Amino acid sequence: MASVQILCACNGQFQPQGTIRYPFERYSVRVACGDGIVLPNSEEEKRKLRVLVAGGGIGGLVFALAAKHRGYEVKVFEKDLSAVRGEGRHRGPIQLLSSALAVLEAIDESVARQIMEAGCVTGNRTNGLADGLSGEWFSVFDFLTPALRKKLPVTLIVCRMTLQDILVNAVGSNIITNKSKVVDFIQEPNKVRVVLENGEQHDGDLLVGADGIWSEVRSKLFGRQEANYSGFTCYSGLTNYVPPYIDTIGYRVFLGLNQYFVATDVGHGHMQWYAFHREPPSNDPFPEDKKKRLLDLFGNWCNEVIALISETPEHMILRRDIYDRDMINTWGIGRVTLLGDAAHPMQPNLGQGGCMAIEDCYQLILELDNVAKDGSYGPEVISALRRYEKKRIPRVRVLHAASRMASKMLVNYQPYIEFKFWPLSQNETNMQIKHPGIHVAQALFKFVFPQFVDWMIAGHGYLSLLFS
């Protein structure tokens, strides 16, 4: 029987977790047997690129769709397609910025059209930050002008279940294997083998871990690590209440101290809202009296907030603790890489999690296209994965940091300085004046945020090419 000896030229420490791992691109393989060195034959080199995907969420499905259109041999393994990760049917919609919609158009125009027809356009209305107590605008966002200037689709909101259904149908049931969770993988010199929970094994030229924030692939690559609790719990609700401002306002983030409230139109006569509150994490995902608690927390806020909570049935209010993970300097080893929340889970404050996953897909496909043209899937595949990571990490790192910073800024909102006086009658008298820092913050936000929106829409090299 032949024996395999693997010599690695590494730039860092060898990763001990799991089975055979390759920390970096450069390695050589010697196969010792009776006939000497065994080389791959020419037919092997000309075959289709074999792509394995762990996870059938938004990122995994978009990448599988792009790989399918390239003619690659694709297999997607998903543990449960019947529910969107997180909170199932009631998790709520996903925001797709113009950049993500443009990438979807580049991957599959028909699918992008279906998504845009199913979605609710919010970028053509007023969106922004408002004072939670008074409801007055603090700052507004302009997503429409940059989109029109670059001739892009306008930012929209779409139901996660609808989006997933569109992608599943486009990818095809012959590619997606349901009830199949990837629990391990084994790297060999010229392939990677995934191990499913039921014991099945499948071989490919590369493995993409798109299995979310609790990614098993990430754990096998870099060791199991605890996610970071953000300090905030999110109560979410979906209601068929239609407010009077529905035609002019897309979404608003109402600000307050240690809590904030997000309300957005999701179309079809429904409003989705998210109430964030600073509190310890809970082991109970289905607590009772959520509506009463929220009315206590936001009871003195503006009418728009109180109306949305009041109009939402108790069973449509869900609670989840918000987690993310620290950014890492590499997303993969050898023939394995990560994508979307498996690589860079971020807090939902900027609504960029899904958009970044979709952008990841396109960058990865571009790098694999260069490999597939030659039909040789040796070390070139590994180099392509590292190039993808190198090009994506800087942009994602900025948005990851911005989402954390936004969380801290939103809950430190204090628009007034309060003065207390105690006259001789012992009756307490209060006086409020607007905090001077509010005016500075508004001016700074008005100057900086338009540039930030522009960068989010077309801040990456390949996106600029798409939009030119």
Side-chain angles (χ1 to χ4, degrees), residues 90-373:
H90 305 304
R91 186 178 180 189
I94 181 172
Q95 175 180 268
L96 296 180
L97 212 61
S98 299
S99 54
L101 292 170
V103 167
L104 287 169
E105 282 187 321
I107 291 174
D108 189 315
E109 286 189 20
S110 175
V111 166
R113 191 181 310 114
Q114 292 177 58
I115 293 170
M116 286 186 275
E117 289 174 355
C120 173
V121 175
T122 55
N124 60 352
R125 286 175 270 174
T126 302
N127 303 280
L129 308 175
D131 181 273
L133 296 178
S134 68
E136 296 177 357
W137 286 106
F138 172 80
S139 182
V140 295
F141 310 152
D142 182 6
F143 290 115
L144 181 61
T145 302
L148 295 177
R149 185 171 63 245
K150 301 178 191 303
K151 299 180 180 179
L152 301 177
V154 181
T155 295
L156 57 78
I157 303 286
V158 63
C159 170
R160 289 174 187 267
M161 295 296 291
T162 302
L163 176 59
Q164 188 187 42
D165 287 343
I166 292 171
L167 293 172
V168 166
N169 291 333
V171 173
S173 58
N174 59 317
I175 289 176
I176 304 169
T177 305
N178 196 18
K179 305 298 181 183
S180 299
K181 181 182 179 182
V182 173
V183 295
D184 201 0
F185 60 84
I186 302 167
Q187 296 213 50
E188 298 183 8
N190 292 310
K191 65 182 178 182
V192 59
R193 176 175 297 151
V194 298
V195 181
L196 305 183
E197 195 170 36
N198 63 7
E200 287 185 20
Q201 298 185 7
H202 298 264
D203 292 346
D205 297 302
L206 67 142
L207 167 62
V208 177
D211 46 346
I213 185 173
W214 312 110
S215 170
E216 198 69 38
V217 175
R218 177 172 173 145
S219 295
K220 296 298 180 181
L221 279 171
F222 305 115
R224 194 170 298 277
Q225 298 173 335
E226 294 296 323
N228 301 314
Y229 179 55
S230 66
F232 296 93
T233 285
C234 175
Y235 297 84
S236 61
L238 182 67
T239 177
N240 59 5
Y241 169 72
V242 179
Y245 50 80
I246 195 72
D247 293 328
T248 57
I249 297 175
Y251 75 83
R252 267 184 294 185
V253 181
F254 295 92
L255 306 178
L257 185 61
N258 292 323
Q259 59 193 54
Y260 60 102
F261 189 96
V262 182
T264 180
D265 177 22
V266 294
H268 309 289
H270 290 81
M271 290 288 291
Q272 177 78 40
W273 54 263
Y274 305 92
F276 294 84
H277 183 253
R278 194 197 295 273
E279 60 185 70
S282 171
N283 294 324
D284 182 7
F286 305 107
E288 296 181 355
D289 297 327
K290 298 181 292 295
K291 186 171 181 176
K292 180 180 182 303
R293 173 165 172 73
L294 288 168
L295 289 173
D296 289 341
L297 289 173
F298 295 91
N300 64 336
W301 282 37
C302 61
N303 292 334
E304 290 88 342
V305 171
I306 296 173
L308 286 170
I309 298 173
S310 300
E311 293 290 337
T312 306
E314 175 74 25
H315 73 276
M316 292 298 291
I317 301 176
L318 298 167
R319 179 193 188 281
R320 66 185 174 109
D321 298 323
I322 302 299
Y323 290 86
D324 68 4
R325 293 185 185 275
D326 296 336
M327 281 291 295
I328 49 179
N329 295 322
T330 182
W331 295 344
I333 295 172
R335 294 176 175 270
V336 183
T337 193
L338 302 174
L339 181 151
D341 282 351
H344 47 74
M346 59 182 69
Q347 295 180 34
N349 308 296
L350 300 177
Q352 285 296 292
C355 296
M356 289 300 100
I358 292 170
E359 288 186 18
D360 288 350
C361 297
Y362 198 66
Q363 184 68 62
L364 181 52
I365 280 294
L366 290 181
E367 300 303 333
L368 292 176
D369 282 348
N370 296 326
V371 173
K373 284 187 295 188

Side-chain angles (χ1 to χ4, degrees), residues 138 409 412-417 433-446:
F138 172 80
M409 291 174 61
N412 284 313
Y413 176 76
Q414 291 180 282
Y416 299 101
I417 299 176
I433 64 170
K434 197 143 189 175
H435 197 297
I438 290 294
H439 301 292
V440 176
Q442 285 178 312
L444 184 63
F445 205 90
K446 186 176 181 179

